[in-house]
Amino acid sequence: MPSPTHQALAWALPRLRRSRDLDSPEAERARLEQWHLGTVGQPLPTNAVTRFERRFSVVREEVPAAAGSFPSYTLTARGTSPTRTVVYVHGGGYTAGIDPFHVRYAARLASRLGVRVVVPDYPVAPEHTWRDSHDALVDLVASWGERSPGGTVLAGDSAGGGLALALALSLRDRGLAQPDRLLLHAPWVDLSTSTPETEAYDAVDPWLFLGKLRAYALWWAGSPEDLVRPEVSPALGDLAGLPPALVFQGTRDLLTPGTRLLVRRAREAGWALTYVEEPDLLHVYPLLPLVPEARRAWRRTEEFLAVPR
């Protein structure tokens, strides 16, 4: 049974964010493009972290990519000298940039685990597809693997979780440095929506909507043919030889069938994936503030990300 705090957030968050399905793909594309124009040049959203400037330092770098450079932010807790790196790939349906909740979670990783956290602000749809940033992100993760004597972790939530897994596949296939661990929160790993149960979950998820899911997936893929590529839908790729992973998933989530598909295929491939499924919890519940379920997930995360022997 979800906690009262989680139940309150499940009611409030979709309303505060005005969550609703799209009217039409054309209207949604126009809305997103207009919104993106208004976010150009905005700084890292740190307002969800108390005394952020006093507690953390941030270094911004420009990552060269096919469609032009994009920023990446490296967070460290002041007074620390990390040797381990977490590359955190943010979610947002491939249509939104870094959110205050992403910064809040990255700051917690940095302070509690004593790591540096790298958060790339990759270009998003509908203006961009996966092809505009994938190779650049692979190179970014590989470079941090080479520069981090304490090892690396590749993490992400929602769309960012799917992208993190896609990057791990490309790192493996290109013979580049693999992360030590993968940490995925409700990852969007099947943009083809090949699981027929997905439509039933549209009725129980108060936050995500099937119409948006399909439109955003096609925009990010760039073509129907690319929807099944491992760079876009990594659950459909070859999952052998990946580093150990921890995956969190609530069942009040439109992405649950896709995550379950990933788990089934991981077992077939012999991939060491630890799956934590919580009944009736929201999408990316470990990132929610104040809920006991998120604290429980955090304890599992700390155990899983303990510095490797």
Side-chain angles (χ1 to χ4, degrees), residues 17 35-36 39-49 52 58-61 63 70-75 87-107 117-124 137 140 157 159-160 163 287:
R17 295 195 171 208
W35 175 42
H36 292 164
T39 62
V40 173
Q42 286 190 351
L44 188 69
T46 62
N47 52 297
V49 182
F52 181 89
V58 179
V59 175
R60 171 180 167 145
E61 65 176 308
V63 180
F70 58 88
S72 178
Y73 300 92
T74 302
L75 281 67
V87 180
Y88 195 89
V89 189
H90 71 81
Y94 293 119
T95 64
I98 300 171
D99 183 277
F101 283 115
H102 300 135
V103 177
R104 178 180 178 273
Y105 190 76
V117 184
V118 178
V119 188
D121 196 7
Y122 56 92
V124 294
L137 289 167
L140 178 70
D157 69 280
L163 181 49
L287 274 65

Side-chain angles (χ1 to χ4, degrees), residues 228-298:
V228 296
R229 291 183 63 108
E231 297 94 338
V232 177
S233 293
L236 307 182
D238 175 10
L239 301 177
L242 291 172
L246 176 61
V247 178
F248 291 100
Q249 181 69 50
T251 65
R252 203 174 175 186
D253 186 345
L254 191 57
L255 302 186
T256 301
T259 305
R260 289 175 176 169
L261 171 66
L262 174 69
V263 173
R264 291 194 298 271
R265 301 201 70 248
R267 289 169 180 161
E268 293 168 0
W271 174 25
L273 184 152
T274 301
Y275 181 52
V276 180
E277 183 176 286
E278 292 276 13
D280 299 322
L281 296 195
L282 280 180
H283 183 58
V284 296
Y285 73 88
L287 274 65
L288 298 177
L290 305 177
V291 300
E293 295 89 349
R295 291 195 292 272
R296 187 163 64 235
W298 179 257

